[in-house]
Amino acid sequence: MSSQSKGVLTGNEALVRGFYEAGGLVAASYPGSPTVEVLETIKSYEGVYAEFSTNEKVALEVAIGGSFTGARSMAVMKHVGMNIASDPLMTFTETPIRGGFVLVSGDDPGMASSQNEQDNRLFAKFANMAILSPGNSQEAKDYTKLAFSLSEDFQLPTLLNITSRVCHSRSVVTMGEREEHAPTGFDLDPVKYAMIPKNTYQAQYFMKDRLEKLQEYAYDCPVNQLEEKDGATILVIASGLMYYNLKEIDPPVSIYKLGLTYPLSIKRIKELSEQYDEIIVLEEMMPFIENELKIHGIPCSGKSYFSFTGELNSEEIAEGLYKAGVLKKKIDRAEKTAAVARPPLFCSGCPHRPIFDILKKSKVKIMGDIGCYSLAAQAPFNGSSSIISMGASIGITKGVQKALALKEDPKPLVAVIGDGTFFHSGIPGFINLLHQADDKDNLTIIILDNRTTAMTGGQSNASSGHYNLADDMNIDIESLIKTIGFKQVVMVDQFKYDEAKKVINNEIKRPGISIVIATRPCALKYKIKEPHFYVDPSICIGCRSCVNTNCPPIRMKEYKDYDKLKSSIDANMCVGCSICAQVCPVNAIKRSESD
C-alpha cells in the first residue's frame, strides 16, 4: 500500500500500518481473537521481523529483546494472553525504554470468542504502563504511532487497548510515510536493566516519576479533546468506541473524549467538574475511569446506568442516558429478527470429532482445554466437564484425581489437549503429572495432534513442519513425552475409528497414567479432500449413528418411495474422512469412485 493515500482498513490492519509508519522493526504474537490478523498483516511489510511465538510470554520476551536493542517493537495478544505474559511484563516495566515498546491487548467485551471478559486497563495500571484506547481504524493507526513516541519520550511501555469491535470493523484511514528508526545496538546498563534487589528499589521511584510526568502531559494531550455543547450541564467522559456510539445519539451533553486513558489528568478533570452539574463516565466492562475519578474525590456516576458486562451499542447507551435523566424519552429499539439457530460445529473432516464420539460412548469424565475441541463441550457430545485456560486441563485433572482418591473413588479420568496448547503451556502440566504419581492414579491424557493452531485460522506451531516443509519447526511430541519420562505412550489414527476406539477404551481401563497421541492433519489447514461418501437409502435403517457424529454434511431427509427418514450426505461439503461409514452398522454409507 502506497503512502499518502487512503484505504478502508480494519482496526487490526490499521494498527499494523501505524506500526510500519512508526518505523516498527520487531513484532511477536500468539494467535488469539480479536488480534490474530495483526501478525498475519505485519508479515506483508518488508524489512520487519515478525513471528508467532510459542506463547504470549515468549512473544513478549522477543519484543522486549528487540526494544533492548533500540528497535521499535510490539507484542500482540488477546486479553487473556496478558495473564501468561505477566511475569516478564511486571519486571520489564521497571526498566527504561530504548526502542519504543507497545503491547497490544485485544479485549473482548461480550466474550464473543473468549473464556472471560477481563479488562486489561486494570492490568496496565497494575504494571505502571500508559494506556491508549482507539475507537476506529484511523485512531488505531494514529494511536499506535503515538504509543511508540510516548514510550520513548516517557521511558515506559505503552498498552494499546483495543476491543474486538474496533479490531474487526472497517473505516477510512489516511496513510503516511514510514519513519526509519534504526536499532541502536545492545549495550545495556546493568544498573537499569538487571532487576536484582540492589537495583529495583530505585526503579520504583523511576516508575513513579515517569507516570507523574505523563500525567502532566495528559492535561492538554492532543488525543484528549473537550467537545462543548451550548447550555449543557452534564459532561460525559468517554473513550474508544464508546465515544463514537455516543455521538450517534447526539445527546444534550458536553463530551470529554479520552485517547490517553491512563494516567488521567486529574487536574484537568477537576477543573471541568467545576463547570458542570454532573459527570457521567461511559465505558465498557469495568468502571476503570469512574473509579479513578472517585479515588481522587471527583463526584461522578457511570455503571449505575450502564451494563457492567458485554458490549454497549448506541441503543444501550441511550437507555442508560434515559435512566440518568439526560434523555427525556426512550429511544425505540429495533426489533430483533429471529435467526435460524446454528450451533458451532467441528469442520467437515475434523479429526477431533471421532475422538469425542468415542469418549461420549465410553461415558468417562473429560477435562477440556482451549482450542477447536472446546466445541465438544456442547451438544451433541457434551464432552468436557471443565474448560478454564490454555493448558489447564492437565493440572486440573491431576487435582481431581488426587481429591477423588482421598475419598476412595478411583474413577478413571480423561483430559484432552491440542498440540498448539501442548506447546503453549501444557508441557509443565505433563511434567508435574509424574510428581508424586501413584500406581492407583487412572488418568488418560489424549493429545489431539493436528499439527496447527486451528482455532485461530491455522497458524503454525512447533509440530507443523511434519506436514509442511515451509514450517521450520517439527518437534515430535511422542519423543518429547517419552523423554519427559512417560512409559505408556500410544499413537492412534483417529480416522481408523474401530482401532482408535479399542486403544482409547483400553487405556481408560488401564491403571496408571496413559498418554494417547491422536494424529491426523487439520482438514481445513491442509485442504484435505478425498472422494466423498454417499448414503444408499435402500440399506439405511435411519438409526442416526452417522448423524450423531455431528458431521456438517450429514442430515436426515425424505427419499422418494421411502416412508422413513434416511440419512444423506452433502457431497460438496464431504471431504471423505470416512468416519460416518465406519460407524454405520449396516454398511449403507459408501465412498464414491471420484469427486
Side-chain angles (χ1 to χ4, degrees):
M1 190 174 292
S2 63
S3 61
Q4 302 301 325
S5 62
K6 290 187 177 181
V8 179
L9 304 182
T10 66
N12 282 337
E13 293 167 340
L15 81 84
V16 170
R17 182 70 193 183
F19 170 77
Y20 174 76
E21 290 182 11
L25 289 171
V26 176
S29 176
Y30 185 79
S33 182
T35 53
V36 66
E37 298 87 2
V38 172
L39 246 287
E40 303 280 12
T41 308
I42 287 178
K43 289 179 179 177
S44 66
Y45 287 93
E46 293 183 359
V48 173
Y49 177 76
E51 70 166 47
F52 279 118
S53 307
T54 313
N55 64 26
E56 295 86 352
K57 173 178 176 289
V58 178
L60 183 79
E61 291 160 348
V62 169
I64 288 173
S67 175
F68 277 173
T69 316
R72 288 191 162 185
S73 303
M74 184 165 75
V76 185
M77 55 198 69
K78 70 179 294 173
H79 61 293
V80 292
M82 278 185 69
N83 305 331
I84 304 298
S86 62
D87 194 9
L89 177 68
M90 299 300 288
T91 301
F92 171 56
T93 54
E94 293 182 311
T95 69
I97 291 296
R98 302 197 77 207
F101 187 94
V102 176
L103 173 55
V104 177
S105 167
D107 287 7
D108 191 14
M111 297 160 283
S113 58
S114 308
Q115 63 269 45
N116 72 28
E117 196 185 52
Q118 73 186 47
D119 188 332
N120 277 349
R121 294 178 298 174
L122 296 166
F123 221 135
K125 179 186 176 185
F126 185 35
N128 294 288
M129 300 173 73
I131 307 173
L132 288 165
S133 302
N136 61 21
S137 295
Q138 183 68 55
E139 289 181 358
K141 194 204 81 161
D142 295 342
Y143 287 15
T144 302
K145 295 174 71 174
L146 176 62
F148 280 109
S149 297
L150 293 181
S151 175
E152 291 175 354
D153 292 346
F154 292 90
Q155 293 291 288
L156 79 177
T158 302
L159 182 84
L160 191 74
N161 172 237
I162 195 166
T163 56
S164 48
R165 188 71 59 180
V166 181
C167 286
H168 296 141
S169 59
R170 292 177 182 273
S171 56
V172 176
V173 176
T174 302
M175 310 301 163
E177 300 284 353
R178 176 172 166 87
E179 304 168 10
E180 297 296 342
H181 290 266
T184 54
F186 185 78
D187 55 352
L188 301 180
D189 178 352
V191 174
K192 294 180 179 177
Y193 292 93
M195 291 295 100
I196 56 176
K198 174 186 172 187
N199 301 330
T200 52
Y201 185 74
Q202 194 58 39
Q204 295 298 310
Y205 287 94
F206 167 71
M207 288 192 294
K208 179 175 178 290
D209 290 346
R210 69 188 184 184
L211 278 173
E212 287 175 352
K213 289 175 183 171
L214 188 59
Q215 192 169 40
E216 291 175 14
Y217 166 84
Y219 182 86
D220 53 6
C221 166
V223 294
N224 293 344
Q225 298 166 350
L226 176 65
E227 295 181 11
E228 297 179 285
K229 183 165 278 190
D230 288 344
T233 59
I234 296 173
L235 177 71
V236 175
I237 297 178
S239 62
L241 183 61
M242 293 304 94
Y243 165 78
Y244 292 99
N245 287 351
L246 178 66
K247 291 285 281 183
E248 284 188 10
I249 302 167
D250 192 23
V253 298
S254 294
I255 301 172
Y256 189 40
K257 175 180 183 288
L258 292 175
L260 178 62
T261 49
Y262 186 80
L264 301 174
S265 173
I266 298 302
K267 179 183 175 186
R268 175 75 164 139
I269 297 173
K270 276 187 174 173
E271 289 174 0
L272 291 173
S273 70
E274 293 168 359
Q275 301 172 27
Y276 292 91
D277 294 342
E278 184 180 0
I279 290 180
I280 296 175
V281 180
L282 171 61
E283 55 192 330
E284 287 179 324
M285 300 194 290
M286 302 291 286
F288 177 78
I289 296 171
E290 182 182 347
N291 286 346
E292 284 294 301
L293 301 191
K294 288 177 176 174
I295 287 169
H296 290 89
I298 301 174
C300 64
S301 55
K303 283 299 168 187
S304 56
Y305 304 127
F306 306 107
S307 173
F308 76 99
T309 184
E311 292 185 297
L312 293 177
N313 59 32
S314 295
E315 292 175 330
E316 285 151 349
I317 292 170
E319 207 161 282
L321 293 177
Y322 173 75
K323 287 181 196 170
V326 174
L327 299 179
K328 300 307 175 191
K329 66 176 185 178
K330 280 190 175 182
I331 292 178
D332 293 333
R333 302 190 68 150
E335 284 188 23
K336 290 184 178 177
T337 304
V340 177
R342 293 183 60 197
L345 293 171
F346 287 113
C347 301
S348 298
C350 175
H352 301 332
R353 183 185 300 104
I355 294 297
F356 284 100
D357 190 62
I358 291 166
L359 292 175
K360 180 181 180 182
K361 291 169 181 170
S362 75
K363 303 186 186 308
V364 70
K365 293 291 184 186
I366 306 164
M367 303 298 161
D369 217 303
I370 304 293
C372 289
Y373 44 93
S374 60
L375 296 171
Q378 306 172 116
F381 295 117
N382 299 316
S384 296
S385 297
S386 75
I387 299 174
I388 299 298
S389 64
M390 295 281 282
S393 63
I394 310 303
I396 289 173
T397 304
K398 179 178 179 179
V400 171
Q401 176 79 85
K402 293 299 184 184
L404 288 175
L406 293 174
K407 59 176 290 193
E408 298 182 349
D409 184 10
K411 285 194 175 85
L413 294 172
V414 169
V416 294
I417 186 169
D419 51 335
T421 311
F422 173 83
F423 292 116
H424 176 279
S425 51
I427 293 174
F430 277 89
I431 293 170
N432 191 59
L433 274 180
L434 297 177
H435 175 52
Q436 298 185 6
D438 191 308
D439 291 341
K440 294 179 182 176
D441 291 340
N442 189 343
L443 303 176
T444 303
I445 316 297
I446 301 178
I447 303 173
L448 301 163
D449 183 16
N450 63 3
R451 306 291 170 104
T452 189
T453 309
M455 193 169 200
T456 49
Q459 291 76 28
S460 299
N461 67 36
S463 65
S464 295
H466 183 77
Y467 290 131
N468 186 352
L469 294 176
D471 292 316
D472 60 358
M473 295 181 74
N474 184 16
I475 296 174
D476 183 68
I477 294 177
E478 181 183 16
S479 300
L480 182 56
I481 282 290
K482 287 182 176 176
T483 300
I484 288 172
F486 290 99
K487 306 297 182 189
Q488 186 58 29
V489 182
V490 292
M491 305 284 291
V492 298
D493 178 345
Q494 53 266 59
F495 282 177
K496 294 180 179 176
Y497 184 87
D498 290 336
E499 289 180 27
K501 183 177 181 181
K502 183 178 179 182
V503 168
I504 290 172
N505 286 336
N506 283 343
E507 296 308 315
I508 289 172
K509 292 173 186 171
R510 182 193 302 276
I513 301 173
S514 299
I515 310 294
V516 177
I517 303 173
T519 301
R520 270 275 176 172
C522 169
L524 202 61
K525 165 76 180 286
Y526 297 103
K527 312 297 182 191
I528 305 301
K529 184 65 176 173
E530 300 290 338
H532 72 272
F533 282 79
Y534 66 93
V535 176
D536 183 340
S538 68
I539 302 174
C540 177
I541 57 176
C543 68
R544 299 175 186 252
S545 295
C546 55
V547 175
N548 290 335
T549 63
N550 201 28
C551 190
I554 306 176
R555 63 186 177 89
M556 302 300 289
K557 79 167 193 179
E558 291 181 357
Y559 286 87
K560 186 180 179 183
D561 300 329
Y562 293 95
D563 296 334
K564 192 175 178 181
L565 291 175
K566 312 273 188 174
S567 71
S568 70
I569 298 172
D570 184 333
N572 293 320
M573 295 176 67
C574 176
V575 301
C577 75
S578 83
I579 296 302
C580 56
Q582 294 183 60
V583 300
C584 178
V586 293
N587 295 320
I589 300 178
K590 304 176 187 300
R591 189 189 290 274
S592 65
E593 291 185 1
S594 64
D595 273 333

